[in-house]
Amino acid sequence: MKILMRADTHYSIVVRDSEYEKPNYTFSQVLAAVAVSMGSMIVGFSSAYTSPALVTMQNSTSISVSEEEASWVGGLMPLAALGGGLIGGPLVDYIGRRRTILFTAVPFFVGWILIATANIVHLVLAGRAICGLCVGVGSLAFPVYLGETIQPEVRGTLGLFPTAIGNIGILLCYVAGKYLDWSQLAYLGASLPIPFLILMFMIPETPRWYISRGRTEEARKALQWLRGAHTKIDNEMREIALSDAEAGKESPITELLSKKYMKSIFICLGLMAFQQLSGINAVIFYTVKIFQMTGSSINEHLCTIIVGIVNFISTFIATALIDRAGRKILLYISSVTMTLTLMILGTFFYVRDNLNLDVTTLGWLPLTCVMIYLLGFSLAFGPIPWLMMGEILPAKIRGAAASICTSFNWLCTFTVTKTFHNIIVAIGPSGTFWLFGSICFVGLFFVVVCVPETRGKSLEQIENKLTGRQTTRTRRMSSIANIKPLPSGC
């Protein structure tokens, strides 16, 4: 097969079907996804901790916690995570993605031990702050690491592992919280960083970070480990090197505020905003209290466990669908589902509190709405903003931009979590859930207009599309490179 090329391309394209083997779920990639996701389990446990723990903490004789202090126990973790997001960006760029994740394990352990052994609320707050810093760093570094190590065709599925295993952390906290008090639950939290630390020692740094530091041989070894011993990696190595070389031409001073990068950052910020302003963390942090407010005859701790199970199962549904249906269609379904359930939940409270009607026969409705709401959230708006942050942020600004997006996410989380009680007092439960539902409805239009589909695309293809940059010459020939040899009879 002859290929006519412009004289100035200086590339010789050799087409071999064997060099473009069908990607698969290699053990190495799955191990990397699971290792990173163990950190996400700690994040999930940390987020859910206050839901069962605050109830026993406020009734405890060993520690005194006021209503205001309790709100800070819930709100300080996402506030500290904001700071963690800010320092995480420089860390993933300077010391590496893997090492940044690895360094969160010991502080996680220390934070949980402080909470478990506390006899005054200030030690609890200190422990929550330390865990919050690690949550912020980890929630930034996890998607960046996975985005740079997993093949495009399976990146959606394996990229949802942090959310899936993070939901196991939430479920574990809810189930254990039914039987353990706040201190015992914190000791359980302190045990989670141990397997996380062990697994992180078993995986390599990302090839892209090695390339950015000029450590080509180490990059090749890491990529070969990730793709499998018998997989040809020359084309992917060349692609990563060219992408890094192209990124290196940009001005380091103005790169983050460059107009061509604004679209990627804006999309990430928008997804993060709609994710958190949907009220999800208010539901996760205060699940028990929400069910206490409904007056349902179903035990609130049982409701919480059911909610955790639904949250856990729904992520696996998303994992099965994301590389088939794509990101956008799942975001559409997620937005509509959350909007409808929040509006119905708000209406339930309005009928009960403002119209003074008897709703005892509808005691099942709040639990059903929260279950379907979490199903919709976990299907897309929970995992996809984090997944897409690792996909659509350009390589040159990935660390700094991910830092901004993560910090913004946790700022929104803190705002919703800390003000949830105040909003309920100001506009009532019905107005609060209607407000969150309206935000989800606006989020649907944001997805329709602004969010691109990234399914099955390499990081270089996504970056080229969003920045409007012409693809590198090797990438411009990708369609040729993927052409299989014609039968000899043609």
Side-chain angles (χ1 to χ4, degrees), residues 21-51:
E21 298 171 1
K22 184 179 179 180
N24 54 65
Y25 296 93
T26 64
F27 173 79
S28 302
Q29 290 185 87
V30 173
L31 176 61
V34 170
V36 168
S37 301
M38 284 302 297
S40 193
M41 177 185 283
I42 309 174
V43 173
F45 194 94
S46 302
S47 298
Y49 175 75
T50 52
S51 181

Side-chain angles (χ1 to χ4, degrees), residues 206-220:
T206 72
R208 279 178 172 80
W209 186 81
Y210 278 137
I211 288 287
S212 71
R213 291 295 181 269
R215 297 158 66 173
T216 307
E217 190 55 38
E218 289 168 284
R220 179 174 289 277

Side-chain angles (χ1 to χ4, degrees), residues 187-339:
Y187 277 119
L188 178 59
S191 69
L192 298 180
I194 298 171
F196 170 51
L197 184 66
I198 293 170
L199 287 173
M200 283 304 303
F201 276 117
M202 299 171 66
I203 64 175
E205 181 56 78
T206 72
R208 279 178 172 80
W209 186 81
Y210 278 137
I211 288 287
S212 71
R213 291 295 181 269
R215 297 158 66 173
T216 307
E217 190 55 38
E218 289 168 284
R220 179 174 289 277
K221 288 179 181 178
L223 187 61
Q224 193 71 71
W225 184 87
L226 288 162
R227 300 295 179 257
H230 304 293
T231 303
K232 295 183 181 296
I233 60 169
D234 290 345
N235 290 316
E236 190 171 358
M237 278 291 295
R238 190 180 303 117
E239 213 172 76
I240 295 171
L242 287 171
S243 176
D244 180 72
E246 187 72 25
K249 298 175 184 178
E250 310 296 336
S251 168
I253 300 174
T254 60
E255 58 195 17
L256 195 59
L257 299 177
S258 171
K259 183 178 178 181
K260 67 178 179 179
Y261 292 148
M262 282 293 102
K263 184 176 181 181
S264 300
I265 296 174
F266 171 73
I267 292 168
C268 280
L269 290 176
L271 286 171
M272 295 300 186
F274 287 112
Q275 180 197 69
Q276 292 305 321
L277 296 180
S278 68
I280 183 59
N281 273 297
V283 174
I284 296 296
F285 278 54
Y286 300 111
T287 306
V288 172
K289 287 193 173 185
I290 289 172
F291 285 115
Q292 286 176 341
M293 286 191 305
T294 65
S296 172
S297 58
I298 307 173
N299 179 270
E300 61 268 18
H301 286 286
L302 178 59
C303 290
T304 301
I305 292 171
I306 294 171
V307 163
I309 292 171
V310 171
N311 196 33
F312 168 66
I313 293 173
S314 59
T315 308
F316 285 95
I317 297 173
T319 302
L321 293 176
I322 192 164
D323 281 323
R324 294 176 175 86
R327 281 61 159 162
K328 288 195 73 165
I329 189 66
L330 293 183
L331 286 169
Y332 295 156
I333 296 170
S334 182
S335 299
V336 172
T337 302
M338 290 193 295
T339 300

